[in-house]
């Protein structure tokens, strides 16, 4: 599902939902139902074949068979607004053992941080600041929002803000500090967080593995 400006990946048979990073098994054909939640986007991993438009209220289909393991880049290729160029995604093609491990990890609930830690303070802030109203986290009963990306196991993702920056404390902190400055037109609100709150939320999000 295309969103302004990020990609949602649903795996119905596995009962998984991820954002911006697609994981598949080498040598297995992958079938996609492609749609948009808002405006027209376009789905494209150049190494895997052609493009397909993502259209509101309409489902398009495509498939490809990844024959090489590795990490491959993709992005939206239909102008869709202010951060069209920042609507990126990553494809991970796994060998069987790595695929099985990834699925097992994703199907497990995120472990709550230990009481009294900075990450635990961040978990409390995640609810207090309203983040849980927009985002889902498996294992956190308060976080069931469907507006923004699913953040289950966010700590294992390689990028932030739909592929535009490495997922590290500095970049995540900059994103939380001012989303619109980090990604023009981003729909995530600026919550006016102070530096201690940013550090706590960063610790919590990076603990989600």
């Amino acid at each position: 599902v295309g969103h302004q400006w990020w990609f949602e990946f649903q795996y119905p048979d596995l009962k998984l939902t991820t954002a911006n990073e697609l994981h598949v098994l080498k040598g297995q054909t992958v079938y996609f139902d492609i749609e948009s939640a808002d405006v027209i986007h376009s789905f494209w991993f150049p190494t895997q074949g052609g493009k397909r438009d993502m259209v509101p209220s309409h489902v398009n289909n495509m498939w490809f068979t990844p024959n090489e393991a590795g990490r491959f880049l993709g992005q939206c290729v239909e102008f869709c607004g202010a951060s069209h160029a920042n609507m990126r995604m990553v494809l991970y093609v796994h060998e069987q053992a790595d695929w099985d491990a990834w699925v097992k990890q994703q199907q497990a609930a995120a472990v709550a941080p230990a009481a009294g830690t900075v990450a635990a303070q961040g978990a409390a802030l995640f609810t207090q600041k309203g983040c849980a109203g927009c985002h889902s986290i498996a294992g956190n009963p308060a976080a069931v929002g469907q507006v923004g990306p699913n953040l289950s196991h966010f700590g294992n993702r390689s990028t932030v803000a739909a592929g535009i920056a490495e997922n590290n404390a500095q970049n995540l902190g900059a994103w939380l500090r001012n989303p619109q400055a980090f990604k023009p037109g981003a729909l995530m609100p600026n919550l006016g967080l102070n530096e201690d709150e940013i550090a706590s939320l960063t610790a919590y999000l990076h603990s989600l593995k």
Side-chain angles (χ1 to χ4, degrees), residues 28 42 71 83-84 88 99-100 129 151 170 172 177 180 183 201:
Q28 183 176 82
S42 191
R71 183 179 187 269
S83 266
H84 160 65
R88 307 176 195 175
W99 166 253
D100 292 342
K129 294 294 182 176
L151 298 178
Q170 179 179 353
L172 181 56
R177 189 173 295 111
Q180 289 75 32
K183 187 170 186 173
L201 282 168

Side-chain angles (χ1 to χ4, degrees), residues 64-158:
F64 59 69
T65 305
N67 292 314
E68 178 184 357
R71 183 179 187 269
F72 307 94
L73 302 180
Q75 70 175 76
C76 177
V77 284
E78 178 74 31
F79 180 72
C80 55
S83 266
H84 160 65
N86 295 322
M87 186 173 170
R88 307 176 195 175
M89 54 185 169
V90 182
L91 170 67
Y92 288 95
V93 181
H94 296 279
E95 302 285 359
Q96 186 71 58
D98 288 340
W99 166 253
D100 292 342
W102 181 80
V103 171
K104 182 178 180 180
Q105 176 221 47
Q106 293 294 309
Q107 289 178 333
V111 178
T117 63
V118 174
Q121 295 171 9
L125 279 171
F126 193 85
T127 300
Q128 294 167 10
K129 294 294 182 176
C131 311
C134 290
H135 299 280
S136 291
I137 296 175
N140 183 339
V144 294
Q146 302 295 317
V147 177
N150 186 302
L151 298 178
S152 301
H153 307 290
F154 174 84
N156 284 323
R157 294 182 190 164
S158 63

Side-chain angles (χ1 to χ4, degrees), residues 153-171:
H153 307 290
F154 174 84
N156 284 323
R157 294 182 190 164
S158 63
T159 65
V160 297
I164 68 172
E166 180 183 353
N167 185 8
N168 58 37
Q170 179 179 353
N171 289 333

